Amino acid sequence: MKFQVLSLIGHAPHPLTGELPSAADRLAQVLTVGEAAERLGFDAYSVGERHAGPFLSSSPSVVLGALAARTSRIRLLTGVTVVAILDPVRIAEDFATLDQISLGRIELVVGKGAEAGHFDLFGLDEKRQWDLQKEKYELLRRLWTEEVVDWAGEFRPPLTKVTTLPRPYAGPPRIWHGSATSLNSPELAAKHGDPLFTANAIQPRAAYARLIAHYREKFEEYGHDPRHARVAAGSGGLLIADTTEQAVERYKELYEAKVRQTFQPQLEGKAGYNTPYRTIEDAVADGPQLIGSPQRIIDKILGYHEVYGHDLQSITVDAFGQSAAEQIETLERFAEEIAPVLRKEAPSTLWED
């Protein structure tokens, strides 16, 4: 199994103290933790994209560019690139530039985004979100795999003999499809033989298992070798203590305050927004949150692997307002006590070719 650290660069007041760092300090924290992730042997670092709500991740290519300049080995991913609202030509140019700067370390995770409101912000019809996603992804794919592209579609002006520059560093970067609630992304990933990145962040395990099962079934139906059906899985935040009982005692107030802070009553009952695991005890027992002793977290991830068969596990250490030092301490414990066991118990050849 491989491991990634993900940040959506949340910028909300601390759920207990109300303290709010400046935007500059919060972004500096992300870069510091990204450098630490490389030093500690993590395989990838990912930055999300949000255009509404308390986040500073509207320009992931800029953040990843800064991180590319500070690192040399770790792969740099998006989580996700909201291709449905963006111009594929601009995506192709920006991330090919970043691929050149990082010497081929860039991979995209594309999706239509989970934040309500960004379609209105960009003047697009949310009802057409999946049509936007499909058309724009397929154009991006062509821009990276072909030169002198002729193209016509519904959502942007046609292209005539277009070659985007720069070209990617060593062939088209891998594109994953982010999937949280709908079968549309697994279907599109399977059609093109691309890998799937399931959110695994809020809903019960069965909801994500359904998406992955559909992806694997369709992957083979579309004529692709099922051995190449790569899957990654996210998580709902990482909190480690010596024992699970200590984790519950130490983090109960923080976890439950954060759940109250992020609850969106207008989206109650809509999958993918509000976690059903309102207490820390429920989250430890059944949720995708990774909270507890190292062994408890190992057992939970292996339980997911038994169902998902995933190659890449994504973790989030800044979901609860902890400082950069606290985040790095958490990453150190994961790297030393958890990752080696999982690499042995669930080996993967992802990124080894």
Side-chain angles (χ1 to χ4, degrees):
M1 188 175 292
K2 310 299 184 184
F3 300 100
Q4 168 189 281
V5 180
L6 164 69
S7 178
L8 298 177
I9 320 184
H11 193 230
H14 190 281
L16 294 178
T17 68
E19 295 178 0
L20 181 67
S22 69
D25 286 346
R26 181 69 181 96
L27 290 165
Q29 182 185 84
V30 170
L31 299 178
T32 297
V33 174
E35 290 179 273
E38 175 171 87
R39 185 173 67 252
L40 293 168
F42 284 85
D43 301 285
Y45 194 90
S46 177
V47 173
E49 180 179 334
R50 296 290 180 96
H51 295 275
F55 299 94
L56 300 176
S57 51
S58 58
S59 299
S61 61
V62 177
V63 179
L64 290 173
L67 192 55
R70 297 170 181 232
T71 58
S72 61
R73 177 197 57 81
I74 198 167
R75 290 179 182 267
L76 305 171
L77 276 68
T78 60
V80 301
T81 295
V82 190
V83 67
I85 63 174
L86 303 175
D87 184 350
V89 173
R90 182 79 264 185
I91 297 172
E93 293 172 338
D94 283 350
F95 284 98
T97 301
L98 189 48
D99 198 44
Q100 290 286 349
I101 291 172
S102 67
L103 304 181
R105 291 187 281 141
I106 292 298
E107 297 188 9
L108 296 192
V109 183
V110 299
K112 57 91 179 170
E115 190 69 31
H118 56 220
F119 287 94
D120 286 343
L121 181 64
F122 285 84
L124 299 169
D125 183 358
E126 187 174 1
K127 295 178 182 178
R128 301 295 307 281
Q129 58 186 303
W130 293 113
D131 298 322
L132 287 158
Q133 175 79 359
K134 181 177 182 296
E135 178 179 297
K136 292 186 175 188
Y137 163 70
E138 291 182 344
L139 174 55
L140 172 62
R141 181 185 178 90
R142 287 193 61 192
L143 291 170
W144 270 352
T145 57
E146 302 175 27
E147 299 184 14
V148 194
V149 173
D150 292 316
W151 176 90
E154 182 178 357
F155 298 111
R156 63 148 292 138
L159 302 175
T160 303
K161 295 182 172 54
V162 167
T163 301
T164 57
L165 296 173
R167 305 306 294 161
Y169 177 73
R174 179 185 276 115
I175 301 178
W176 303 72
H177 293 254
S179 174
T181 58
S182 169
L183 294 177
N184 286 279
S185 287
E187 181 78 24
L188 190 60
K191 176 182 177 182
H192 292 287
D194 294 332
L196 183 74
F197 207 122
T198 184
N200 194 46
I202 294 177
Q203 299 301 310
R205 183 180 313 190
Y208 303 110
R210 168 177 168 266
L211 302 176
I212 294 169
H214 180 82
Y215 164 70
R216 293 190 187 281
E217 177 185 349
K218 290 297 183 178
F219 194 94
E220 192 166 2
E221 283 186 14
Y222 279 114
H224 305 297
D225 186 336
R227 295 175 299 175
H228 299 154
R230 300 285 192 183
V231 172
S235 62
L238 174 67
L239 298 169
I240 307 174
D242 290 342
T243 69
T244 298
E245 292 75 20
Q246 287 177 358
V248 170
E249 181 180 1
R250 179 178 177 183
Y251 296 116
K252 180 177 177 64
E253 186 180 10
L254 177 65
Y255 173 83
E256 294 176 10
K258 186 63 177 180
V259 170
R260 291 191 297 271
Q261 182 186 63
T262 57
F263 179 73
Q264 301 179 67
Q266 73 276 18
L267 297 172
E268 179 69 1
K270 188 173 182 181
Y273 288 91
N274 297 310
T275 180
Y277 304 106
R278 305 291 174 83
T279 71
I280 196 170
E281 290 85 358
D282 287 343
V284 169
D286 299 310
Q289 296 80 9
L290 301 174
I291 302 173
S293 68
Q295 189 59 54
R296 174 68 188 180
I297 292 167
I298 288 168
D299 291 342
K300 181 169 278 192
I301 293 175
L302 288 177
Y304 284 122
H305 184 264
E306 185 177 351
V307 178
Y308 301 162
H310 60 307
D311 297 278
L312 173 63
Q313 177 66 56
S314 184
I315 63 171
T316 302
V317 291
D318 63 355
F320 302 106
Q322 294 179 294
S323 68
E326 290 171 319
Q327 293 175 44
I328 292 170
E329 180 184 356
T330 300
L331 290 180
E332 288 172 345
R333 291 203 68 174
F334 190 96
E336 293 170 4
E337 302 175 51
I338 297 172
V341 177
L342 294 171
R343 290 188 194 277
K344 180 179 178 181
E345 295 294 324
S348 170
T349 59
L350 177 66
W351 296 328
E352 292 179 3
D353 51 354

